[in-house]
Amino acid sequence: MKVLLDKLGVRKLLNFGVTEHLGLESSVRVQLSNLIAVLGIFSNIQYSIFFTITKAPYYQVMNFVHSFVIFVFIIVFYFNIKGKYSLSRIFLVFIMPVPLLCVSTFSFGTTGGFYYYFLVFAIVPFVLFSYDDKWWILFLFLMNTAFYVWFEFFGKPGIFEEGTLLYHKQVQDLFRINSVVSCLSFVALFMFYFLRNINRIHKEMIRVNDHKDRIFSILAHDLKGPIGIMSRYLGYLTDSLPEREELILGLKELKKSTNQSYLVLENLLDWVQNETKKTQYNPKSLSLSLLLKNAIDILNIQATDKGIQWEVNLLNDHPIYCDERMTSTVLRNILSNAIKYSHPKGRVVIEAELVSSSIEVRFQDQGIGMTEDLLKKIIEGKRFTSEFGTVGEKGTGLGLLVCMDLLKEQGGSLHLTSRPGEGTKIIIQLPLAG
Protein backbone atom coordinates (compact mmCIF):
# COMPACT_ATOMS: atom_id res chain seq x y z
CA MET A 1 0.00 0.00 0.00
CA LYS A 2 2.82 2.39 0.91
CA VAL A 3 4.62 1.63 -2.36
CA LEU A 4 1.43 2.34 -4.34
CA LEU A 5 0.90 5.65 -2.52
CA ASP A 6 4.51 6.63 -3.19
CA LYS A 7 4.18 5.82 -6.90
CA LEU A 8 0.99 7.87 -7.16
CA GLY A 9 2.63 10.75 -5.32
CA VAL A 10 -0.15 10.81 -2.70
CA ARG A 11 2.22 10.62 0.28
CA LYS A 12 4.23 13.54 -1.06
CA LEU A 13 1.00 15.50 -1.58
CA LEU A 14 -0.18 14.82 1.98
CA ASN A 15 3.18 16.02 3.37
CA PHE A 16 3.12 19.41 1.65
CA GLY A 17 4.20 21.95 4.28
CA VAL A 18 5.36 19.35 6.81
CA THR A 19 8.86 20.23 8.03
CA GLU A 20 11.20 18.73 10.62
CA HIS A 21 10.66 21.81 12.80
CA LEU A 22 6.96 21.03 13.27
CA GLY A 23 5.91 18.93 16.24
CA LEU A 24 4.17 15.62 15.60
CA GLU A 25 0.71 16.95 16.47
CA SER A 26 1.10 20.01 14.22
CA SER A 27 2.38 17.79 11.40
CA VAL A 28 -0.71 15.59 11.72
CA ARG A 29 -3.02 18.59 11.39
CA VAL A 30 -1.18 19.82 8.29
CA GLN A 31 -1.47 16.34 6.77
CA LEU A 32 -5.18 16.26 7.58
CA SER A 33 -5.77 19.64 5.90
CA ASN A 34 -3.93 18.33 2.82
CA LEU A 35 -6.02 15.15 2.91
CA ILE A 36 -9.27 17.15 3.07
CA ALA A 37 -8.09 19.34 0.18
CA VAL A 38 -7.30 16.22 -1.91
CA LEU A 39 -10.74 14.74 -1.16
CA GLY A 40 -12.35 18.10 -1.90
CA ILE A 41 -10.68 18.36 -5.31
CA PHE A 42 -11.63 14.78 -6.17
CA SER A 43 -15.27 15.26 -5.06
CA ASN A 44 -15.74 18.53 -6.96
CA ILE A 45 -14.32 17.03 -10.17
CA GLN A 46 -16.51 13.95 -9.72
CA TYR A 47 -19.74 15.89 -9.18
CA SER A 48 -18.94 18.33 -11.97
CA ILE A 49 -18.77 15.36 -14.38
CA PHE A 50 -21.97 13.79 -12.96
CA PHE A 51 -23.91 17.07 -13.16
CA THR A 52 -22.85 17.58 -16.77
CA ILE A 53 -23.79 14.02 -17.79
CA THR A 54 -27.21 14.16 -16.07
CA LYS A 55 -27.91 17.75 -17.21
CA ALA A 56 -28.58 18.92 -13.66
CA PRO A 57 -30.29 22.32 -13.29
CA TYR A 58 -27.79 25.17 -13.66
CA TYR A 59 -24.96 22.69 -14.15
CA GLN A 60 -22.93 25.35 -16.02
CA VAL A 61 -23.06 27.57 -12.92
CA MET A 62 -22.19 24.62 -10.69
CA ASN A 63 -19.19 23.79 -12.91
CA PHE A 64 -17.96 27.35 -12.40
CA VAL A 65 -18.46 26.99 -8.62
CA HIS A 66 -16.61 23.67 -8.61
CA SER A 67 -13.72 25.20 -10.58
CA PHE A 68 -13.48 28.09 -8.12
CA VAL A 69 -13.53 25.75 -5.11
CA ILE A 70 -10.82 23.53 -6.66
CA PHE A 71 -8.68 26.63 -7.17
CA VAL A 72 -9.08 27.54 -3.48
CA PHE A 73 -8.10 24.00 -2.45
CA ILE A 74 -4.90 24.43 -4.48
CA ILE A 75 -4.28 27.68 -2.58
CA VAL A 76 -4.63 25.66 0.65
CA PHE A 77 -1.65 23.53 -0.49
CA TYR A 78 0.28 26.70 -1.31
CA PHE A 79 -0.36 28.20 2.15
CA ASN A 80 0.79 24.97 3.82
CA ILE A 81 4.00 24.95 1.78
CA LYS A 82 4.64 28.56 2.81
CA GLY A 83 4.02 27.70 6.47
CA LYS A 84 0.80 29.75 6.75
CA TYR A 85 -1.05 26.91 8.44
CA SER A 86 -3.76 28.92 10.23
CA LEU A 87 -4.69 30.78 7.05
CA SER A 88 -4.77 27.48 5.17
CA ARG A 89 -7.28 25.98 7.62
CA ILE A 90 -9.50 29.06 7.60
CA PHE A 91 -9.68 28.99 3.78
CA LEU A 92 -10.36 25.26 3.91
CA VAL A 93 -13.25 25.24 6.42
CA PHE A 94 -15.04 28.17 4.80
CA ILE A 95 -14.72 26.99 1.19
CA MET A 96 -15.97 23.43 1.86
CA PRO A 97 -19.67 24.38 2.38
CA VAL A 98 -19.82 26.67 -0.68
CA PRO A 99 -20.63 24.07 -3.39
CA LEU A 100 -23.12 22.37 -1.02
CA LEU A 101 -24.94 25.65 -0.39
CA CYS A 102 -25.13 26.32 -4.12
CA VAL A 103 -26.26 22.83 -5.16
CA SER A 104 -28.82 22.58 -2.30
CA THR A 105 -30.19 26.08 -2.89
CA PHE A 106 -30.76 26.41 -6.64
CA SER A 107 -29.86 23.09 -8.31
CA PHE A 108 -30.77 19.82 -6.57
CA GLY A 109 -32.56 21.18 -3.52
CA THR A 110 -32.86 18.40 -0.93
CA THR A 111 -32.93 15.77 -3.69
CA GLY A 112 -29.74 13.76 -3.74
CA GLY A 113 -29.00 14.34 -0.05
CA PHE A 114 -26.04 16.64 -0.66
CA TYR A 115 -26.85 18.56 2.51
CA TYR A 116 -25.78 15.47 4.51
CA TYR A 117 -22.20 16.63 3.94
CA PHE A 118 -22.85 19.50 6.37
CA LEU A 119 -22.81 16.89 9.17
CA VAL A 120 -19.35 15.77 8.01
CA PHE A 121 -18.12 19.37 7.90
CA ALA A 122 -19.44 19.91 11.42
CA ILE A 123 -17.06 17.17 12.61
CA VAL A 124 -14.00 18.18 10.56
CA PRO A 125 -12.97 21.15 12.80
CA PHE A 126 -12.53 18.78 15.76
CA VAL A 127 -9.71 16.95 13.96
CA LEU A 128 -8.33 19.94 12.07
CA PHE A 129 -7.93 22.47 14.90
CA SER A 130 -6.27 22.21 18.30
CA TYR A 131 -8.03 22.81 21.61
CA ASP A 132 -6.63 26.36 21.67
CA ASP A 133 -8.90 27.10 18.68
CA LYS A 134 -12.03 25.93 20.54
CA TRP A 135 -14.06 29.01 19.56
CA TRP A 136 -13.36 28.34 15.88
CA ILE A 137 -14.40 24.72 16.40
CA LEU A 138 -17.64 25.73 18.13
CA PHE A 139 -18.49 28.35 15.49
CA LEU A 140 -17.88 26.00 12.54
CA PHE A 141 -19.76 23.18 14.25
CA LEU A 142 -22.82 25.38 14.85
CA MET A 143 -22.65 26.91 11.36
CA ASN A 144 -22.61 23.58 9.54
CA THR A 145 -25.20 22.07 11.87
CA ALA A 146 -27.48 25.06 11.21
CA PHE A 147 -27.10 24.56 7.44
CA TYR A 148 -28.05 20.89 7.81
CA VAL A 149 -31.10 21.65 9.98
CA TRP A 150 -32.27 24.35 7.56
CA PHE A 151 -32.21 22.09 4.49
CA GLU A 152 -33.56 19.08 6.42
CA PHE A 153 -36.67 20.89 7.70
CA PHE A 154 -37.12 23.88 5.39
CA GLY A 155 -35.53 22.77 2.14
CA LYS A 156 -37.47 21.79 -0.97
CA PRO A 157 -36.82 19.00 -3.48
CA GLY A 158 -35.25 19.95 -6.79
CA ILE A 159 -37.28 20.36 -9.98
CA PHE A 160 -35.84 18.45 -12.92
CA GLU A 161 -36.63 18.77 -16.60
CA GLU A 162 -38.55 15.92 -18.15
CA GLY A 163 -36.40 13.80 -20.43
CA THR A 164 -33.20 14.23 -18.39
CA LEU A 165 -31.67 11.40 -16.33
CA LEU A 166 -32.43 13.23 -13.10
CA TYR A 167 -36.13 13.20 -13.87
CA HIS A 168 -36.14 9.48 -12.97
CA LYS A 169 -36.56 8.60 -9.30
CA GLN A 170 -33.99 5.78 -9.53
CA VAL A 171 -31.23 8.20 -10.59
CA GLN A 172 -32.18 10.62 -7.78
CA ASP A 173 -31.95 7.72 -5.31
CA LEU A 174 -28.51 6.81 -6.67
CA PHE A 175 -27.29 10.33 -5.88
CA ARG A 176 -28.76 10.08 -2.39
CA ILE A 177 -27.07 6.70 -1.80
CA ASN A 178 -23.80 8.13 -3.09
CA SER A 179 -24.10 11.04 -0.65
CA VAL A 180 -24.70 8.76 2.32
CA VAL A 181 -21.88 6.35 1.42
CA SER A 182 -19.46 9.22 0.69
CA CYS A 183 -20.26 10.95 4.00
CA LEU A 184 -19.72 7.74 5.99
CA SER A 185 -16.53 6.98 4.05
CA PHE A 186 -15.11 10.45 4.66
CA VAL A 187 -15.90 10.29 8.38
CA ALA A 188 -14.33 6.82 8.62
CA LEU A 189 -11.23 8.03 6.72
CA PHE A 190 -10.81 11.10 8.96
CA MET A 191 -11.27 9.06 12.11
CA PHE A 192 -8.93 6.29 10.95
CA TYR A 193 -6.24 8.78 9.98
CA PHE A 194 -6.67 10.67 13.23
CA LEU A 195 -6.55 7.46 15.32
CA ARG A 196 -3.46 6.34 13.44
CA ASN A 197 -1.70 9.55 14.33
CA ILE A 198 -2.96 9.49 17.91
CA ASN A 199 -1.17 6.15 18.09
CA ARG A 200 1.98 7.79 16.67
CA ILE A 201 1.74 10.58 19.24
CA HIS A 202 1.32 8.00 22.02
CA LYS A 203 4.44 6.12 20.87
CA GLU A 204 6.36 9.41 20.65
CA MET A 205 5.35 10.25 24.23
CA ILE A 206 6.60 6.84 25.39
CA ARG A 207 9.90 7.43 23.56
CA VAL A 208 10.29 10.93 25.04
CA ASN A 209 9.56 9.64 28.56
CA ASP A 210 12.08 6.85 28.05
CA HIS A 211 14.70 9.39 26.98
CA LYS A 212 13.86 11.62 29.95
CA ASP A 213 14.26 8.69 32.35
CA ARG A 214 17.60 7.80 30.79
CA ILE A 215 18.83 11.40 31.10
CA PHE A 216 17.82 11.55 34.77
CA SER A 217 19.48 8.18 35.36
CA ILE A 218 22.74 9.38 33.82
CA LEU A 219 22.67 12.65 35.73
CA ALA A 220 21.88 10.86 39.01
CA HIS A 221 24.40 8.02 38.74
CA ASP A 222 27.10 8.58 36.14
CA LEU A 223 27.85 12.19 37.08
CA LYS A 224 27.36 11.77 40.82
CA GLY A 225 30.43 9.53 41.19
CA PRO A 226 33.02 11.69 39.37
CA ILE A 227 31.74 14.93 40.89
CA GLY A 228 31.77 13.34 44.37
CA ILE A 229 35.41 12.29 43.85
CA MET A 230 36.34 15.79 42.72
CA SER A 231 34.63 17.29 45.76
CA ARG A 232 36.46 14.95 48.16
CA TYR A 233 39.88 15.60 46.65
CA LEU A 234 39.34 19.34 46.53
CA GLY A 235 38.29 19.23 50.17
CA TYR A 236 41.39 17.22 51.03
CA LEU A 237 43.68 19.60 49.12
CA THR A 238 42.18 22.71 50.71
CA ASP A 239 42.07 21.34 54.29
CA SER A 240 45.68 20.16 54.44
CA LEU A 241 49.05 20.75 52.90
CA PRO A 242 49.83 17.46 51.14
CA GLU A 243 53.23 16.26 50.09
CA ARG A 244 54.26 16.63 46.46
CA GLU A 245 53.50 12.99 45.64
CA GLU A 246 50.07 13.21 47.25
CA LEU A 247 49.37 16.46 45.44
CA ILE A 248 50.27 14.93 42.06
CA LEU A 249 48.12 11.87 42.83
CA GLY A 250 45.19 14.10 43.81
CA LEU A 251 45.52 16.23 40.68
CA LYS A 252 45.63 13.11 38.52
CA GLU A 253 42.43 11.84 40.12
CA LEU A 254 40.82 15.24 39.61
CA LYS A 255 41.80 15.23 35.95
CA LYS A 256 40.52 11.68 35.51
CA SER A 257 37.18 12.53 37.15
CA THR A 258 36.95 15.73 35.09
CA ASN A 259 37.57 13.84 31.85
CA GLN A 260 34.98 11.23 32.81
CA SER A 261 32.38 13.89 33.64
CA TYR A 262 33.14 15.74 30.43
CA LEU A 263 32.74 12.59 28.34
CA VAL A 264 29.42 11.75 30.03
CA LEU A 265 28.08 15.28 29.45
CA GLU A 266 29.33 15.37 25.85
CA ASN A 267 27.67 12.03 25.09
CA LEU A 268 24.47 13.17 26.74
CA LEU A 269 24.37 16.47 24.83
CA ASP A 270 25.24 14.83 21.49
CA TRP A 271 22.57 12.19 22.03
CA VAL A 272 19.90 14.76 22.96
CA GLN A 273 20.83 17.02 20.02
CA ASN A 274 20.70 14.11 17.60
CA GLU A 275 17.33 12.94 18.97
CA THR A 276 15.90 16.46 18.61
CA LYS A 277 17.48 16.88 15.14
CA LYS A 278 19.54 19.87 16.27
CA THR A 279 22.99 18.48 15.50
CA GLN A 280 25.10 20.95 13.49
CA TYR A 281 27.27 19.27 10.84
CA ASN A 282 30.28 21.35 9.72
CA PRO A 283 32.66 19.14 7.70
CA LYS A 284 36.19 20.11 6.70
CA SER A 285 39.52 18.46 5.86
CA LEU A 286 41.07 16.99 9.02
CA SER A 287 44.11 14.96 10.05
CA LEU A 288 43.07 11.56 11.38
CA SER A 289 46.38 11.01 13.18
CA LEU A 290 46.06 14.35 14.97
CA LEU A 291 42.49 13.60 16.06
CA LEU A 292 43.60 10.19 17.36
CA LYS A 293 46.57 11.72 19.20
CA ASN A 294 44.31 14.30 20.91
CA ALA A 295 41.81 11.59 21.94
CA ILE A 296 44.61 9.39 23.36
CA ASP A 297 46.12 12.35 25.24
CA ILE A 298 42.79 13.11 26.91
CA LEU A 299 42.40 9.49 28.03
CA ASN A 300 46.05 8.85 28.81
CA ILE A 301 45.66 9.03 32.61
CA GLN A 302 42.97 6.31 32.61
CA ALA A 303 45.08 4.20 30.25
CA THR A 304 48.24 4.64 32.36
CA ASP A 305 46.40 3.78 35.59
CA LYS A 306 45.33 0.44 34.06
CA GLY A 307 48.62 -0.15 32.27
CA ILE A 308 46.94 -0.12 28.85
CA GLN A 309 49.35 -0.03 25.90
CA TRP A 310 48.44 1.69 22.62
CA GLU A 311 49.58 0.16 19.35
CA VAL A 312 48.84 2.68 16.60
CA ASN A 313 49.51 1.64 13.00
CA LEU A 314 48.73 4.48 10.60
CA LEU A 315 50.78 4.02 7.42
CA ASN A 316 49.77 7.33 5.82
CA ASP A 317 47.95 10.28 7.26
CA HIS A 318 45.25 10.66 4.63
CA PRO A 319 43.01 13.70 5.31
CA ILE A 320 39.38 12.94 6.14
CA TYR A 321 36.36 15.13 5.37
CA CYS A 322 34.41 15.17 8.65
CA ASP A 323 33.02 17.35 11.42
CA GLU A 324 35.84 17.81 13.94
CA ARG A 325 33.67 17.80 17.08
CA MET A 326 31.62 14.78 15.97
CA THR A 327 34.66 12.75 14.92
CA SER A 328 36.55 13.59 18.12
CA THR A 329 33.55 12.46 20.16
CA VAL A 330 33.43 9.15 18.24
CA LEU A 331 37.15 8.47 18.75
CA ARG A 332 37.05 9.36 22.46
CA ASN A 333 34.07 7.09 23.06
CA ILE A 334 35.60 4.11 21.28
CA LEU A 335 38.96 4.52 23.03
CA SER A 336 37.29 5.12 26.41
CA ASN A 337 35.32 1.88 26.01
CA ALA A 338 38.49 0.03 24.98
CA ILE A 339 40.20 1.19 28.21
CA LYS A 340 37.17 0.49 30.37
CA TYR A 341 36.58 -3.07 29.20
CA SER A 342 40.24 -4.09 28.74
CA HIS A 343 41.99 -6.06 31.45
CA PRO A 344 44.78 -4.26 33.35
CA LYS A 345 48.06 -4.22 31.33
CA GLY A 346 46.08 -5.00 28.20
CA ARG A 347 46.72 -3.81 24.66
CA VAL A 348 44.56 -1.77 22.25
CA VAL A 349 45.46 -1.95 18.55
CA ILE A 350 44.47 0.88 16.19
CA GLU A 351 44.92 0.37 12.44
CA ALA A 352 43.78 2.26 9.35
CA GLU A 353 43.68 1.59 5.63
CA LEU A 354 42.08 3.03 2.51
CA VAL A 355 38.85 1.42 1.31
CA SER A 356 37.51 2.95 -1.91
CA SER A 357 36.63 6.61 -1.21
CA SER A 358 36.85 6.26 2.57
CA ILE A 359 39.30 5.30 5.25
CA GLU A 360 38.65 2.32 7.51
CA VAL A 361 39.83 2.58 11.12
CA ARG A 362 39.92 -0.59 13.22
CA PHE A 363 40.03 -0.69 17.02
CA GLN A 364 40.79 -4.05 18.64
CA ASP A 365 40.96 -4.72 22.38
CA GLN A 366 41.51 -7.94 24.34
CA GLY A 367 38.93 -7.22 27.01
CA ILE A 368 35.83 -8.88 28.38
CA GLY A 369 33.84 -8.68 25.12
CA MET A 370 30.06 -8.68 24.76
CA THR A 371 27.26 -11.21 24.67
CA GLU A 372 25.23 -11.72 21.47
CA ASP A 373 22.15 -10.23 23.14
CA LEU A 374 24.01 -7.05 24.15
CA LEU A 375 25.61 -6.78 20.71
CA LYS A 376 22.21 -7.08 19.03
CA LYS A 377 20.69 -4.36 21.21
CA ILE A 378 23.56 -1.97 20.45
CA ILE A 379 23.37 -2.61 16.70
CA GLU A 380 19.58 -2.09 16.71
CA GLY A 381 19.90 1.08 18.81
CA LYS A 382 17.79 -0.33 21.64
CA ARG A 383 18.10 0.64 25.27
CA PHE A 384 20.44 -1.57 27.31
CA THR A 385 22.15 -1.60 30.69
CA SER A 386 25.85 -0.79 30.42
CA GLU A 387 28.22 -3.33 31.99
CA PHE A 388 30.82 -2.33 34.58
CA GLY A 389 34.44 -2.08 33.41
CA THR A 390 37.17 -4.49 34.48
CA VAL A 391 38.00 -2.39 37.57
CA GLY A 392 34.44 -1.26 38.33
CA GLU A 393 34.15 1.67 35.88
CA LYS A 394 30.52 2.62 35.18
CA GLY A 395 29.25 3.39 31.68
CA THR A 396 26.21 5.34 30.48
CA GLY A 397 25.06 2.98 27.72
CA LEU A 398 25.10 5.93 25.33
CA GLY A 399 28.64 5.91 23.95
CA LEU A 400 28.28 3.52 21.01
CA LEU A 401 24.75 4.73 20.22
CA VAL A 402 26.10 8.28 19.94
CA CYS A 403 29.01 7.03 17.80
CA MET A 404 26.68 5.30 15.32
CA ASP A 405 24.43 8.36 15.05
CA LEU A 406 27.31 10.81 14.58
CA LEU A 407 29.01 8.62 11.97
CA LYS A 408 25.76 8.17 10.06
CA GLU A 409 25.30 11.96 10.09
CA GLN A 410 28.68 12.30 8.34
CA GLY A 411 28.16 9.56 5.78
CA GLY A 412 30.28 7.10 7.75
CA SER A 413 29.47 3.79 9.42
CA LEU A 414 30.31 1.60 12.41
CA HIS A 415 30.59 -2.19 12.48
CA LEU A 416 30.91 -4.12 15.70
CA THR A 417 32.07 -7.68 16.41
CA SER A 418 32.65 -9.17 19.83
CA ARG A 419 32.73 -12.37 21.84
CA PRO A 420 32.69 -12.79 25.62
CA GLY A 421 36.22 -13.20 26.94
CA GLU A 422 37.84 -12.51 23.56
CA GLY A 423 37.56 -8.76 23.30
CA THR A 424 35.79 -6.37 20.92
CA LYS A 425 36.61 -5.14 17.42
CA ILE A 426 35.10 -1.90 16.17
CA ILE A 427 35.49 -0.78 12.55
CA ILE A 428 34.51 2.72 11.50
CA GLN A 429 34.56 4.20 8.01
CA LEU A 430 35.13 7.91 7.45
CA PRO A 431 34.92 9.80 4.14
CA LEU A 432 38.20 10.97 2.64
CA ALA A 433 38.80 14.61 1.80
CA GLY A 434 38.73 15.36 -1.92
Side-chain angles (χ1 to χ4, degrees):
M1 186 65 179
K2 289 183 179 180
V3 176
L4 178 62
L5 291 176
D6 287 335
K7 286 184 177 179
L8 295 174
V10 175
R11 286 167 67 87
K12 186 176 180 181
L13 202 62
L14 294 180
N15 284 302
F16 275 172
V18 177
T19 66
E20 61 181 17
H21 303 294
L22 282 178
L24 180 57
E25 186 176 349
S26 299
S27 298
V28 169
R29 298 191 191 284
V30 173
Q31 290 172 339
L32 280 170
S33 66
N34 289 333
L35 174 63
I36 293 169
V38 169
L39 294 175
I41 291 172
F42 174 77
S43 297
N44 279 273
I45 292 174
Q46 168 192 277
Y47 281 118
S48 183
I49 294 171
F50 286 167
F51 290 174
T52 302
I53 292 173
T54 57
K55 294 293 190 295
Y58 304 103
Y59 72 89
Q60 298 95 336
V61 177
M62 286 307 305
N63 285 343
F64 172 78
V65 172
H66 288 143
S67 300
F68 173 73
V69 171
I70 290 170
F71 174 73
V72 175
F73 282 138
I74 294 172
I75 291 178
V76 167
F77 287 123
Y78 174 77
F79 282 149
N80 279 337
I81 292 171
K82 291 297 182 180
K84 300 178 180 179
Y85 306 120
S86 297
L87 194 58
S88 167
R89 289 170 195 153
I90 291 171
F91 266 69
L92 188 63
V93 294
F94 279 106
I95 199 62
M96 288 190 301
V98 170
L100 297 182
L101 282 171
C102 293
V103 74
S104 301
T105 301
F106 57 81
S107 184
F108 270 73
T110 57
T111 305
F114 291 100
Y115 63 96
Y116 296 155
Y117 282 96
F118 286 120
L119 293 176
V120 178
F121 297 158
I123 298 172
V124 166
F126 289 93
V127 297
L128 200 58
F129 291 92
S130 66
Y131 180 75
D132 294 334
D133 301 314
K134 52 185 174 292
W135 296 113
W136 273 114
I137 296 173
L138 181 62
F139 172 74
L140 293 166
F141 172 78
L142 293 175
M143 180 187 78
N144 285 288
T145 303
F147 285 147
Y148 170 79
V149 171
W150 171 263
F151 286 108
E152 179 67 49
F153 294 101
F154 304 103
K156 295 179 180 179
I159 300 174
F160 306 105
E161 186 179 340
E162 188 175 353
T164 62
L165 286 173
L166 284 172
Y167 186 77
H168 302 286
K169 179 93 167 38
Q170 296 90 334
V171 177
Q172 297 174 20
D173 290 340
L174 284 176
F175 271 98
R176 183 177 294 274
I177 292 170
N178 180 71
S179 296
V180 173
V181 172
S182 296
C183 287
L184 291 175
S185 300
F186 289 163
V187 170
L189 184 60
F190 295 152
M191 292 298 102
F192 178 79
Y193 197 82
F194 194 70
L195 287 173
R196 169 183 174 270
N197 289 290
I198 286 292
N199 185 52
R200 286 172 58 196
I201 292 171
H202 177 66
K203 288 181 178 178
E204 178 68 12
M205 288 177 64
I206 292 174
R207 189 182 70 86
V208 169
N209 284 332
D210 184 60
H211 289 175
K212 180 191 68 177
D213 292 341
R214 178 177 282 192
I215 290 170
F216 286 154
S217 175
I218 291 168
L219 292 176
H221 299 98
D222 301 309
L223 283 179
K224 183 179 179 181
I227 292 175
I229 292 172
M230 284 188 280
S231 177
R232 285 199 302 273
Y233 271 102
L234 286 172
Y236 171 70
L237 293 175
T238 54
D239 292 341
S240 62
L241 187 61
E243 297 293 332
R244 185 175 183 278
E245 291 76 11
E246 292 179 335
L247 181 61
I248 292 174
L249 178 63
L251 292 175
K252 283 184 178 180
E253 289 297 328
L254 282 174
K255 185 177 181 182
K256 186 166 67 174
S257 296
T258 303
N259 287 343
Q260 187 177 348
S261 300
Y262 176 78
L263 192 61
V264 169
L265 279 175
E266 188 175 47
N267 284 342
L268 189 59
L269 290 173
D270 281 328
W271 181 65
V272 170
Q273 285 178 338
N274 190 69
E275 289 294 321
T276 54
K277 309 300 180 186
K278 293 181 179 179
T279 305
Q280 296 297 319
Y281 175 48
N282 300 305
K284 60 182 179 180
S285 181
L286 300 168
S287 167
L288 175 61
S289 62
L290 183 59
L291 292 177
L292 268 172
K293 181 180 179 300
N294 291 338
I296 290 173
D297 287 344
I298 290 173
L299 299 166
N300 211 34
I301 291 178
Q302 289 95 311
T304 303
D305 285 349
K306 289 186 75 170
I308 303 297
Q309 294 180 348
W310 304 108
E311 187 178 314
V312 183
N313 300 316
L314 299 181
L315 299 179
N316 295 297
D317 187 19
H318 294 283
I320 56 175
Y321 188 68
C322 297
D323 182 284
E324 184 172 3
R325 183 189 61 81
M326 289 183 180
T327 309
S328 296
T329 300
V330 170
L331 296 176
R332 280 198 300 272
N333 270 295
I334 293 173
L335 295 176
S336 176
N337 279 348
I339 296 170
K340 189 184 304 175
Y341 298 112
S342 288
H343 298 291
K345 297 183 180 180
R347 186 165 58 99
V348 177
V349 180
I350 305 168
E351 299 174 323
E353 69 172 309
L354 291 177
V355 178
S356 186
S357 60
S358 62
I359 188 165
E360 186 176 275
V361 189
R362 296 184 289 272
F363 305 84
Q364 174 75 58
D365 66 56
Q366 299 169 336
I368 59 177
M370 304 182 201
T371 62
E372 285 188 16
D373 182 58
L374 178 59
L375 199 61
K376 185 179 179 182
K377 286 182 179 179
I378 292 173
I379 292 171
E380 294 177 353
K382 293 181 179 178
R383 185 172 182 176
F384 63 93
T385 302
S386 178
E387 300 287 337
F388 285 95
T390 53
V391 291
E393 305 100 318
K394 182 69 174 71
T396 63
L398 284 181
L400 288 178
L401 298 181
V402 169
C403 289
M404 287 189 286
D405 288 341
L406 295 183
L407 286 169
K408 184 178 178 181
E409 190 78 19
Q410 302 182 88
S413 62
L414 184 147
H415 301 281
L416 188 65
T417 57
S418 183
R419 284 188 178 182
E422 296 182 13
T424 300
K425 186 175 184 179
I426 295 177
I427 301 174
I428 65 171
Q429 285 193 334
L430 299 167
L432 285 170

